[in-house]
Amino acid sequence: INMKMKFGNLSTDLVKSYFSMTKKNMAISMGSPEDAEKLKAQQGAMVMQMMGQVAQSKPTLTLSISPLKHSLGELTAQADFSLPSMMTPVGKAVVSVLNIDDMIAKIKGAGFVPEAQFEKTAQWIKSMFVVDDAGKGTLTFEMKQDQPGTGFLNGKPVKM
């Protein structure tokens, strides 16, 4: 697998908040019941502090897989997401299967889906991808800042 992952806009304060919360959560699970109760009482404030740091940092995530070779076929994936405001991620992910018909044939041959249900499954898989003349299937998922709570699968709205 040739995979690259990058986190951006992670402020020092955000990273410190994350590690502080992780350290306290470990202490809760490993400490005495009395210490655990004291630390649990602090969790809400720690979460709020970390959320404030996320809001200030506006973190980003980029992920790229090219190619992923699997017994069912070969695919590539690219995703770019950001969090420009709390709870409203924005971005786009694209997954491409280099030969969708070949992948479907391999799924059938592997027996992952009962024969009686296979045709429906194959149609569902094809409906999730935009297939070009060469047989390459592409699935695109987007989240837009001006339409929170709605994702877009191949340009069509999907309620989240």
Side-chain angles (χ1 to χ4, degrees):
I1 297 176
N2 182 10
M3 182 171 99
K4 297 175 185 173
M5 184 183 307
K6 177 184 169 187
F7 292 97
N9 297 344
L10 299 179
S11 71
T12 303
D13 289 336
L14 173 59
V15 174
K16 284 180 184 178
S17 292
Y18 171 78
F19 282 116
S20 176
M21 193 165 78
T22 301
K23 183 178 173 183
K24 287 192 178 178
N25 283 335
M26 288 175 68
I28 288 171
S29 65
M30 301 173 110
S32 70
E34 297 82 26
D35 289 342
E37 286 304 312
K38 289 177 191 173
L39 293 171
K40 282 182 183 179
Q42 299 171 6
Q43 274 185 321
M46 290 186 317
V47 168
M48 293 304 291
Q49 179 185 8
M50 193 165 122
M51 288 177 68
Q53 295 301 328
V54 168
Q56 288 179 346
S57 294
K58 298 178 180 19
T60 62
L61 169 65
T62 300
L63 175 67
S64 174
I65 301 172
S66 181
L68 171 61
K69 295 182 180 181
H70 188 274
S71 62
L72 297 177
E74 188 173 329
L75 66 83
T76 62
Q78 176 70 37
D80 293 292
F81 283 89
S82 64
L83 196 58
S85 63
M86 286 307 297
M87 309 316 282
T88 308
V90 174
K92 182 178 189 178
V94 178
V95 176
S96 295
V97 175
L98 300 187
N99 187 325
I100 198 84
D101 288 329
D102 186 47
M103 181 188 77
I104 290 170
K106 287 178 179 178
I107 290 171
K108 183 176 185 177
F112 293 136
V113 179
E115 188 68 37
Q117 297 173 348
F118 186 77
E119 226 18 74
K120 273 187 164 181
T121 301
Q123 288 174 357
W124 178 80
I125 291 170
K126 282 189 171 186
S127 76
M128 298 296 286
F129 291 85
V130 175
V131 182
D132 68 14
D133 292 339
K136 178 180 174 182
T138 302
L139 179 146
T140 303
F141 176 77
E142 292 180 85
M143 295 186 76
K144 301 175 182 181
Q145 189 168 2
D146 63 341
Q147 296 181 2
T150 301
F152 292 86
L153 187 59
N154 298 326
K156 297 175 185 159
V158 179
K159 279 291 184 192
M160 305 295 286

